[in-house]
Coordinates of all heavy atoms in Angstrom, one line a residue:
I176 N -11.1 48.6 -10.6 CA -12.0 48.3 -9.4 C -11.9 49.3 -8.3 O -10.9 50.0 -8.2 CB -11.6 46.9 -8.9 CG1 -10.2 46.9 -8.2 CG2 -11.6 45.8 -9.9 CD1 -10.0 45.8 -7.2
R177 N -12.9 49.4 -7.6 CA -12.9 50.2 -6.3 C -13.4 49.2 -5.2 O -14.6 48.8 -5.2 CB -13.9 51.4 -6.5 CG -14.0 52.2 -5.2 CD -15.0 53.4 -5.5 NE -15.3 54.1 -4.3 CZ -14.6 55.0 -3.7 NH1 -13.5 55.4 -4.3 NH2 -15.0 55.6 -2.6
L178 N -12.5 48.8 -4.3 CA -12.8 47.9 -3.3 C -13.1 48.6 -2.0 O -12.3 49.4 -1.5 CB -11.6 46.9 -3.1 CG -11.7 45.9 -2.0 CD1 -12.9 44.9 -2.2 CD2 -10.4 45.2 -1.8
E179 N -14.3 48.2 -1.4 CA -14.6 48.7 -0.1 C -14.9 47.6 0.8 O -15.7 46.6 0.5 CB -15.9 49.6 -0.2 CG -16.4 50.1 1.1 CD -15.5 51.1 1.8 OE1 -14.5 50.6 2.4 OE2 -15.8 52.3 1.8
I180 N -14.2 47.6 2.0 CA -14.5 46.5 3.0 C -15.0 47.3 4.2 O -14.3 48.1 4.8 CB -13.2 45.8 3.4 CG1 -12.6 45.1 2.1 CG2 -13.5 44.7 4.4 CD1 -11.3 44.3 2.3
A181 N -16.3 47.0 4.6 CA -17.0 47.7 5.6 C -16.9 49.2 5.2 O -17.4 49.5 4.1 CB -16.4 47.4 7.0
Q182 N -16.4 50.1 6.1 CA -16.3 51.5 5.7 C -14.8 51.9 5.6 O -14.5 53.1 5.8 CB -17.0 52.3 6.7 CG -18.5 52.2 6.7 CD -19.2 53.1 7.6 OE1 -18.9 53.1 8.8 NE2 -20.2 53.9 7.1
F183 N -13.9 51.0 5.4 CA -12.5 51.2 5.5 C -12.1 52.3 4.4 O -11.5 53.3 4.8 CB -11.7 50.0 5.2 CG -10.2 50.2 5.1 CD1 -9.5 50.5 6.3 CD2 -9.6 50.1 3.9 CE1 -8.1 50.7 6.2 CE2 -8.2 50.4 3.8 CZ -7.5 50.6 4.9
L184 N -12.5 52.1 3.2 CA -12.1 53.0 2.1 C -12.7 54.4 2.4 O -12.0 55.5 2.2 CB -12.5 52.5 0.8 CG -12.1 53.3 -0.4 CD1 -10.6 53.5 -0.5 CD2 -12.6 52.7 -1.7
Q185 N -14.0 54.4 2.8 CA -14.6 55.7 3.1 C -13.9 56.5 4.2 O -13.7 57.7 4.1 CB -16.1 55.5 3.4 CG -16.8 56.8 3.8 CD -18.3 56.5 4.2 OE1 -18.9 55.5 3.8 NE2 -18.8 57.3 5.1
N186 N -13.6 55.7 5.3 CA -12.9 56.4 6.4 C -11.5 56.9 6.0 O -11.1 58.0 6.4 CB -12.7 55.4 7.5 CG -14.1 55.0 8.2 OD1 -15.0 55.8 8.0 ND2 -14.1 53.9 8.8
Q187 N -10.8 56.1 5.2 CA -9.5 56.5 4.7 C -9.6 57.8 3.8 O -8.8 58.7 3.9 CB -8.8 55.4 3.9 CG -8.5 54.2 4.7 CD -7.4 54.4 5.7 OE1 -6.3 54.7 5.4 NE2 -7.8 54.3 7.0
E188 N -10.6 57.8 3.0 CA -10.8 59.0 2.1 C -11.1 60.2 2.9 O -10.7 61.3 2.6 CB -11.8 58.7 1.0 CG -11.4 57.7 0.0 CD -12.5 57.4 -1.0 OE1 -13.7 57.5 -0.7 OE2 -12.1 57.1 -2.2
E189 N -12.0 60.1 3.9 CA -12.3 61.2 4.8 C -11.1 61.7 5.5 O -10.9 63.0 5.6 CB -13.4 60.8 5.7 CG -14.8 60.6 5.0 CD -15.8 60.1 6.0 OE1 -15.5 59.8 7.2 OE2 -17.0 59.9 5.6
A190 N -10.3 60.8 6.0 CA -9.1 61.2 6.7 C -8.1 62.0 5.8 O -7.5 63.0 6.2 CB -8.4 60.0 7.4
I191 N -7.9 61.5 4.6 CA -7.0 62.1 3.7 C -7.5 63.4 3.2 O -6.7 64.4 2.9 CB -6.5 61.2 2.6 CG1 -5.1 61.5 2.1 CG2 -7.5 61.2 1.4 CD1 -4.0 61.3 3.1
D192 N -8.8 63.5 3.0 CA -9.4 64.8 2.6 C -9.1 65.9 3.6 O -8.8 67.0 3.2 CB -11.0 64.6 2.5 CG -11.3 64.0 1.1 OD1 -10.5 64.0 0.2 OD2 -12.5 63.5 1.0
A193 N -9.3 65.6 4.9 CA -9.0 66.6 5.9 C -7.6 67.0 6.0 O -7.3 68.2 6.1 CB -9.5 66.0 7.3
Y194 N -6.7 66.0 5.8 CA -5.3 66.3 5.8 C -4.8 67.2 4.6 O -4.0 68.1 4.7 CB -4.4 65.0 5.8 CG -3.0 65.3 5.6 CD1 -2.2 65.9 6.5 CD2 -2.4 64.9 4.4 CE1 -0.8 66.2 6.3 CE2 -1.0 65.1 4.1 CZ -0.3 65.8 5.1 OH 1.1 66.0 4.8
L195 N -5.4 66.9 3.4 CA -5.0 67.5 2.2 C -5.5 69.0 2.1 O -5.0 69.7 1.2 CB -5.5 66.8 1.0 CG -4.7 65.4 0.7 CD1 -5.3 64.7 -0.5 CD2 -3.2 65.6 0.6
V196 N -6.4 69.4 2.9 CA -6.8 70.8 2.9 C -5.6 71.8 3.0 O -5.5 72.7 2.2 CB -7.9 71.1 4.0 CG1 -8.1 72.6 4.1 CG2 -9.2 70.4 3.7
G197 N -4.8 71.5 4.0 CA -3.6 72.4 4.2 C -2.6 72.3 3.0 O -2.0 73.3 2.6
I198 N -2.4 71.1 2.5 CA -1.5 70.9 1.4 C -2.0 71.6 0.1 O -1.2 72.3 -0.6 CB -1.3 69.4 1.1 CG1 -0.7 68.7 2.3 CG2 -0.5 69.2 -0.2 CD1 0.7 69.1 2.7
I199 N -3.3 71.5 -0.1 CA -3.9 72.2 -1.3 C -3.8 73.7 -1.2 O -3.4 74.4 -2.2 CB -5.3 71.8 -1.5 CG1 -5.4 70.3 -1.9 CG2 -6.1 72.6 -2.5 CD1 -6.8 69.7 -1.9
N200 N -4.0 74.2 0.0 CA -3.9 75.7 0.2 C -2.4 76.1 0.0 O -2.2 77.2 -0.5 CB -4.4 76.1 1.6 CG -5.9 76.0 1.7 OD1 -6.6 76.1 0.7 ND2 -6.4 75.8 2.9
E201 N -1.5 75.3 0.5 CA -0.1 75.6 0.3 C 0.3 75.7 -1.2 O 1.1 76.5 -1.6 CB 0.8 74.6 1.1 CG 2.3 75.0 1.0 CD 3.1 74.0 1.8 OE1 2.6 73.2 2.6 OE2 4.4 74.1 1.7
V202 N -0.2 74.7 -2.0 CA 0.1 74.7 -3.4 C -0.4 75.9 -4.1 O 0.2 76.5 -4.9 CB -0.4 73.4 -4.0 CG1 -0.3 73.4 -5.6 CG2 0.3 72.2 -3.5
R203 N -1.7 76.3 -3.7 CA -2.3 77.5 -4.3 C -1.5 78.7 -3.9 O -1.5 79.7 -4.7 CB -3.7 77.5 -3.9 CG -4.6 76.5 -4.6 CD -6.0 76.4 -4.1 NE -6.8 75.5 -4.9 CZ -8.0 74.9 -4.5 NH1 -8.5 75.3 -3.3 NH2 -8.6 74.1 -5.2
R204 N -1.0 78.7 -2.8 CA -0.3 79.9 -2.3 C 1.2 80.0 -2.8 O 1.7 81.0 -3.2 CB -0.3 79.9 -0.7 CG 0.3 81.2 -0.1 CD 0.1 81.2 1.4 NE 0.9 80.1 2.0 CZ 0.3 79.0 2.6 NH1 -1.0 78.9 2.6 NH2 1.0 78.1 3.1
E205 N 1.9 78.9 -2.7 CA 3.3 78.8 -3.0 C 3.6 78.2 -4.4 O 4.8 78.3 -4.9 CB 4.1 78.0 -1.9 CG 3.8 78.5 -0.5 CD 4.4 79.9 -0.2 OE1 5.4 80.2 -1.0 OE2 4.0 80.5 0.7
G206 N 2.7 77.5 -4.9 CA 2.9 76.9 -6.2 C 3.5 75.5 -6.1 O 3.7 74.8 -7.1
K207 N 3.9 75.1 -4.9 CA 4.4 73.8 -4.7 C 4.2 73.4 -3.2 O 3.9 74.2 -2.3 CB 5.9 73.7 -5.0 CG 6.7 74.7 -4.1 CD 8.2 74.7 -4.5 CE 9.0 75.6 -3.7 NZ 10.5 75.6 -4.1
A208 N 4.4 72.1 -2.9 CA 4.3 71.5 -1.6 C 4.7 70.1 -1.6 O 5.0 69.5 -2.6 CB 2.9 71.7 -1.0
Q209 N 4.8 69.5 -0.4 CA 5.0 68.1 -0.3 C 4.3 67.6 1.0 O 4.1 68.3 2.0 CB 6.5 67.7 -0.2 CG 7.2 68.1 1.1 CD 8.7 67.6 1.1 OE1 9.4 67.8 0.1 NE2 9.1 67.0 2.2
T210 N 3.8 66.4 0.9 CA 3.1 65.8 2.0 C 4.0 65.2 3.1 O 5.2 65.0 2.8 CB 2.1 64.7 1.6 OG1 2.9 63.6 1.1 CG2 1.2 65.2 0.4
K211 N 3.5 64.8 4.2 CA 4.2 64.1 5.2 C 4.3 62.6 4.6 O 3.6 62.3 3.7 CB 3.4 64.1 6.5 CG 2.1 63.3 6.5 CD 1.4 63.4 7.8 CE 0.0 62.6 7.7 NZ -0.7 62.7 9.0
P212 N 5.1 61.8 5.2 CA 5.2 60.4 4.8 C 3.8 59.7 4.9 O 3.1 59.9 6.0 CB 6.2 59.7 5.7 CG 7.1 60.9 6.1 CD 6.2 62.1 6.2
L213 N 3.4 59.1 3.9 CA 2.1 58.4 3.9 C 2.2 56.9 3.7 O 3.1 56.5 2.9 CB 1.2 59.0 2.8 CG 0.9 60.5 2.9 CD1 0.2 61.0 1.6 CD2 0.0 60.7 4.1
D214 N 1.4 56.2 4.3 CA 1.5 54.7 4.3 C 0.4 54.1 3.5 O -0.7 54.5 3.5 CB 1.5 54.1 5.7 CG 1.8 52.6 5.7 OD1 2.9 52.2 5.3 OD2 0.9 51.9 6.1
G215 N 0.8 53.0 2.7 CA -0.2 52.1 2.1 C -1.3 52.8 1.3 O -1.0 53.6 0.4
V216 N -2.5 52.5 1.6 CA -3.7 53.0 0.9 C -3.8 54.5 0.9 O -4.1 55.1 -0.1 CB -5.0 52.3 1.4 CG1 -6.2 52.9 0.7 CG2 -4.9 50.8 1.3
L217 N -3.4 55.1 2.0 CA -3.5 56.6 2.1 C -2.7 57.2 1.0 O -3.1 58.3 0.5 CB -3.0 57.0 3.5 CG -3.9 56.8 4.7 CD1 -3.3 57.2 6.0 CD2 -5.2 57.6 4.5
A218 N -1.5 56.7 0.8 CA -0.6 57.3 -0.2 C -1.3 57.4 -1.6 O -1.2 58.4 -2.3 CB 0.7 56.6 -0.3
F219 N -1.9 56.3 -2.0 CA -2.5 56.2 -3.3 C -3.8 57.1 -3.4 O -4.1 57.7 -4.4 CB -2.8 54.7 -3.7 CG -1.6 54.0 -4.0 CD1 -1.0 53.2 -3.0 CD2 -1.0 54.0 -5.3 CE1 0.2 52.4 -3.3 CE2 0.2 53.3 -5.5 CZ 0.7 52.5 -4.6
I220 N -4.5 57.1 -2.3 CA -5.7 58.0 -2.3 C -5.3 59.4 -2.4 O -5.9 60.2 -3.2 CB -6.5 57.7 -1.0 CG1 -7.1 56.3 -0.9 CG2 -7.6 58.8 -0.8 CD1 -7.8 56.0 0.4
A221 N -4.3 59.8 -1.7 CA -3.8 61.2 -1.7 C -3.3 61.5 -3.1 O -3.5 62.6 -3.6 CB -2.7 61.4 -0.7
L222 N -2.5 60.6 -3.7 CA -2.0 60.9 -5.1 C -3.1 61.1 -6.1 O -3.0 62.1 -6.9 CB -1.1 59.7 -5.5 CG -0.4 59.9 -6.8 CD1 0.7 60.9 -6.7 CD2 0.2 58.5 -7.3
K223 N -4.1 60.3 -6.0 CA -5.2 60.4 -7.0 C -6.0 61.8 -6.8 O -6.3 62.5 -7.7 CB -6.2 59.3 -6.8 CG -7.4 59.3 -7.8 CD -8.3 58.1 -7.6 CE -9.5 58.2 -8.5 NZ -10.4 57.0 -8.4
K224 N -6.2 62.1 -5.5 CA -6.9 63.4 -5.2 C -6.1 64.6 -5.6 O -6.7 65.6 -6.1 CB -7.3 63.4 -3.7 CG -8.4 62.4 -3.3 CD -8.8 62.6 -1.9 CE -10.0 61.6 -1.6 NZ -11.2 62.0 -2.2
L225 N -4.8 64.6 -5.3 CA -4.0 65.7 -5.7 C -3.9 65.9 -7.2 O -3.9 67.0 -7.8 CB -2.6 65.6 -5.1 CG -2.5 65.8 -3.6 CD1 -1.2 65.4 -3.0 CD2 -2.8 67.3 -3.2

Side-chain angles (χ1 to χ4, degrees):
I176 70 159
R177 176 180 170 84
L178 174 64
E179 176 67 285
I180 302 177
Q182 290 184 307
F183 174 74
L184 184 60
Q185 178 183 331
N186 293 339
Q187 295 292 295
E188 289 180 332
E189 289 175 355
I191 207 66
D192 278 343
Y194 168 70
L195 288 180
V196 169
I198 299 295
I199 291 171
N200 288 337
E201 183 178 349
V202 173
R203 287 172 176 163
R204 185 177 62 252
E205 305 292 338
K207 60 182 180 179
Q209 71 178 47
T210 68
K211 66 181 180 181
L213 298 170
D214 184 63
V216 178
L217 285 175
F219 288 96
I220 293 174
L222 184 71
K223 181 178 179 180
K224 288 183 178 293
L225 287 169

